[in-house]
Amino acid sequence: MSRRPPLTMDLPEPREPRLVCPACAQAVPVGPDARCQVCGGSLAETLSAARGPPPPLPPRRLTRAQRRAVLRPKLATHHILGTLFFALGALLLPVAFVFVRPLLLMAAIFLFVGFLFRRSGWPAALRREQRRRLQALRWGLPAAGELTGVERHFLPSLEAGRVARLDYVFTVHGQRVHGSMPSPHLSDLQRRPGAPVWVVYLAEAPDISALWPPEP
């Protein structure tokens, strides 16, 4: 008996983002000058509508869920274990001082182990980066930008639950500024480079930025 060749499925190639020109009604790719490649008409209003509503004026009020989506540990299990050990050590410490001195060593071990687990589960550098991003979401100035890359994370547990990284670019005082932001949403993997987005950035440090709207 002859074996049939295995069936293969050709995955669709990512298509270049296109917009419908309001002047000639043609679907055209988005160029850097925001003009139609067929009739030369302006696509600025269409681009603005594709980005959605602009960010409100700062300071912006973020929900608790939005803040927790930004401020989250890299390894949640390590951080929870570290918090548990740290709490046990803190509870044993006054008991050891007042009643049972030999428990001082155990309390110190619990505190030390808790510190190590919390530090590995939520590194200080990651926490500073998340706080700067949160500051940009609350106080940042708005800017029109576009996605330049969508990269998938294959180990979300090692990336604070993130499944994708969104790279983007925006312009400040005539200079292009590049940014990057992680995302835990599988739907963001369907986004394509060239898609228009809103970006918020700090006026004193444009390299500190974030995509708007924030994660729910």
Side-chain angles (χ1 to χ4, degrees):
M1 296 180 62
S2 61
R3 295 183 179 180
R4 294 182 178 180
L7 297 177
T8 59
M9 294 183 60
D10 295 330
L11 296 178
E13 294 291 334
R15 295 182 177 179
E16 186 179 15
R18 292 174 176 264
L19 291 178
V20 177
C21 175
C24 65
Q26 296 291 328
V28 295
V30 183
D33 55 353
R35 289 196 172 275
C36 177
Q37 298 181 4
V38 177
C39 67
S42 175
L43 299 174
E45 294 185 1
T46 309
L47 276 172
S48 179
R51 289 188 177 93
L57 295 176
R60 305 177 186 91
R61 297 186 61 181
L62 303 178
T63 65
R64 184 177 181 182
Q66 289 173 335
R67 293 194 301 268
R68 293 184 63 182
V70 176
L71 296 173
R72 56 189 304 171
K74 181 178 182 180
L75 299 173
T77 304
H78 283 208
H79 191 261
I80 293 174
L81 287 176
T83 303
L84 178 61
F85 276 103
F86 208 85
L88 290 175
L91 289 175
L92 282 178
L93 199 59
V95 176
F97 269 117
V98 177
F99 300 105
V100 187
R101 291 299 178 89
L103 289 179
L104 280 174
L105 179 60
M106 184 177 297
I109 292 175
F110 281 167
L111 291 174
F112 181 71
V113 172
F115 172 78
L116 291 181
F117 269 98
R118 284 175 61 90
R119 186 174 182 179
S120 63
W122 201 346
L126 177 62
R127 187 173 301 190
R128 286 194 299 268
E129 177 185 349
Q130 292 172 348
R131 287 176 177 172
R132 289 196 297 262
R133 189 179 302 125
L134 189 63
Q135 187 179 7
L137 289 172
R138 293 190 60 190
W139 298 95
L141 300 177
E146 67 177 28
L147 291 179
T148 58
V150 179
E151 181 181 346
R152 179 168 186 170
H153 289 164
F154 291 95
L155 295 174
S157 60
L158 300 181
E159 298 288 345
R162 313 300 188 180
V163 297
R165 190 187 72 183
L166 304 176
D167 299 327
Y168 52 90
V169 64
F170 59 101
T171 303
V172 179
H173 303 306
Q175 296 184 353
R176 290 168 63 87
V177 181
H178 294 267
S180 175
M181 189 169 180
S183 170
H185 300 299
L186 289 172
S187 59
D188 282 334
L189 293 174
Q190 307 300 322
R191 304 175 75 171
R192 293 292 179 259
V197 292
W198 283 109
V199 181
V200 287
Y201 68 94
L202 295 182
E204 63 276 11
D207 59 312
I208 302 176
S209 61
L211 292 177
W212 184 271
E215 303 166 358

